[in-house]
Amino acid sequence: MSDYLRDGAAIYRQSFATIRAESDLSAFSADLEPVVVRMIHASGQTDLTDDVVATPGVVAAARAALAAGGPILCDANMVASGVTRTRLPADNPVRCHLGEPGLAELAESMGTTRTAAALQYWRDDLARSVVAIGNAPTALFALLDLIDDGWPRPAAIVGAPVGFVGAAESCAALAARNDLEFITVTGRRGGSAITAAALNALASPVE
């Protein structure tokens, strides 16, 4: 029989200890550090700290919104599937609208991706929500444009789409904002796992 660690809790403890030993977390506040640790844990990249940008109030804003029952609005089913429901403080709804009837036609009429077009279903929930965009740069660009057009601002945004076309640019656009609470990953890195990991850490301070 192979010799390997089988205790789940011990694996978590050793993983987080390794991350803290190998990563420079000195730039992050006490409440943000566990969020970044979770993001590193999801990516396996201890230098992710070089690319994480966040506002000082994002943790408090996200936790207040979730404690009040606010929804989590996701750009992709992979992000929604990565949310650990037992960590949610108020049995919060986790929504992704990619399955809406007629979405493909709506996207075609708007001249954009289905993921960006799906934001049209978010308007009534945005003001009290935590937004999680981990797949589509077009969704993050669209969200910022909608906010500029007068749509409600979400309580907090986890914006970390991944890729080679638009990912770095959309995250840079979010990082440049001074009117939103957010956490993002600049450059090409990001993705559904990192975004869901950040959400799980925001949802509960329990490591």
Side-chain angles (χ1 to χ4, degrees):
M1 180 178 290
S2 299
D3 182 18
Y4 58 91
L5 190 59
R6 294 175 171 82
D7 183 284
I11 290 169
Y12 265 99
R13 287 194 300 271
Q14 186 171 319
S15 295
F16 293 147
T18 300
I19 290 167
R20 287 190 166 91
E22 296 184 7
S23 301
D24 182 3
L25 298 161
S26 60
F28 303 106
S29 62
D31 64 347
L32 188 58
E33 180 196 295
V35 181
V36 179
V37 168
R38 280 258 173 191
M39 295 167 74
I40 294 169
H41 183 254
S43 67
Q45 299 168 336
T46 56
D47 66 339
L48 192 69
T49 52
D50 296 339
D51 296 334
V52 175
V53 178
T55 53
V58 66
V59 176
R63 287 183 178 160
L66 294 175
I72 296 171
L73 304 178
C74 304
D75 71 322
N77 289 314
M78 287 180 65
V79 177
S81 296
V83 177
T84 304
R85 272 40 177 198
T86 56
R87 295 181 67 88
L88 300 178
D91 195 25
N92 307 75
V94 180
R95 297 178 181 148
C96 176
H97 290 281
L98 286 181
E100 295 290 341
L103 180 60
E105 291 78 11
L106 176 62
E108 184 176 0
S109 70
M110 295 176 64
T112 190
T113 65
R114 290 191 307 117
T115 316
L119 270 64
Q120 296 298 312
Y121 299 96
W122 288 11
R123 184 166 192 161
D124 292 343
D125 290 325
L126 264 179
R128 58 195 189 93
S129 72
V130 176
V131 167
I133 297 175
N135 182 271
T138 55
L140 184 50
F141 277 128
L143 175 63
L144 299 179
D145 286 343
L146 291 170
I147 291 170
D148 288 341
D149 286 342
W151 280 38
R153 290 176 174 80
I157 300 170
V158 181
V162 64
F164 297 92
V165 179
E169 293 82 0
S170 64
C171 291
L174 178 59
R177 303 291 291 235
N178 57 17
D179 60 333
L180 301 168
E181 297 289 356
F182 65 82
I183 182 166
T184 189
V185 179
T186 59
R188 294 173 171 176
R189 292 193 286 187
S192 299
I194 287 175
T195 302
L199 270 174
N200 289 331
L202 291 170
S204 172
V206 176
E207 189 157 88

